[in-house]
Amino acid sequence: MWLRQAFFRWLLPAAFVLPLWMIAGWAIFGQSGWGLLWVLLMAVPAVFVGQLVLTLLTRSRPSVRAERAVSWWDVGGFALWHALTISVGCFLDGAFPWLLTAAIIVAIGLFWLQLSQLWSEARGSGARLRETITWSSIPRADATADPRQAPGVIIIEESRSGD
């Protein structure tokens, strides 16, 4: 349980720490100016927005809010995605395209996992659209379509067409 709670607390700071690691990794591993351009324009915004969206989807589930802990599927998915994001920030020659592709695929899979878990919890909790109308507001089956014959309706004509 403590590991699931730790991941719950780590999700929001990860949205800031992981993009900073991308910049620090560029500086530490001595990449070119084009590498910095890629990091600043592509990697940092993608990781930041992706982590925020995944965090909001995760924290919007009722079970996560109640327990203040993520599921074991979340632990595995986020651990894998964060490990791949950190390894992408190391800019390893030869492995970089493979790690980047794997990180993107895992992020997309994690997004669908979060949607699936959110949907299954919302469906199972009885959160349905409830009718707000009363039985008296539903017209009777024998009600006529002609408003002149409807009970309690008064029609006032301004002028007669036959005059």
Side-chain angles (χ1 to χ4, degrees):
M1 184 70 162
W2 65 269
L3 182 62
R4 292 173 42 215
Q5 290 174 341
F7 264 89
F8 175 81
R9 288 189 297 273
W10 161 248
L11 290 180
L12 193 57
F16 298 96
V17 172
L18 291 175
L20 287 176
W21 165 248
M22 301 297 285
I23 296 171
W26 171 82
I28 292 170
F29 295 102
Q31 292 299 309
S32 67
W34 291 110
L36 177 63
L37 187 65
W38 177 82
V39 166
L40 291 178
L41 296 180
M42 296 291 291
V44 169
V47 171
F48 178 73
V49 170
Q51 181 65 36
L52 279 181
V53 167
L54 290 171
T55 298
L56 291 174
L57 282 173
T58 303
R59 288 183 171 223
S60 65
R61 294 198 322 257
S63 65
V64 172
R65 286 193 316 264
E67 297 176 9
R68 299 193 56 78
V70 298
S71 70
W72 286 110
W73 282 104
D74 297 333
V75 171
F78 278 112
L80 180 60
W81 186 50
H82 292 169
L84 286 169
T85 303
I86 290 168
S87 62
V88 166
C90 292
F91 296 96
L92 302 172
D93 291 332
F96 179 79
W98 296 105
L99 292 171
L100 180 62
T101 304
I104 292 170
I105 290 170
V106 169
I108 293 169
L110 192 55
F111 176 77
W112 285 109
L113 174 68
Q114 297 308 315
L115 285 180
S116 170
Q117 289 181 356
L118 180 63
W119 178 258
S120 67
E121 285 189 28
R123 184 183 51 203
S125 67
R128 306 236 192 289
L129 181 64
R130 291 180 172 80
E131 291 187 22
T132 57
I133 58 175
T134 62
W135 288 106
S136 62
S137 64
I138 299 174
R140 295 188 325 258
D142 61 343
T144 60
D146 187 14
R148 293 177 189 255
Q149 297 178 358
V153 175
I154 300 173
I155 299 175
I156 300 174
E157 297 179 6
E158 290 186 25
S159 65
R160 290 189 167 232
S161 60
D163 287 335

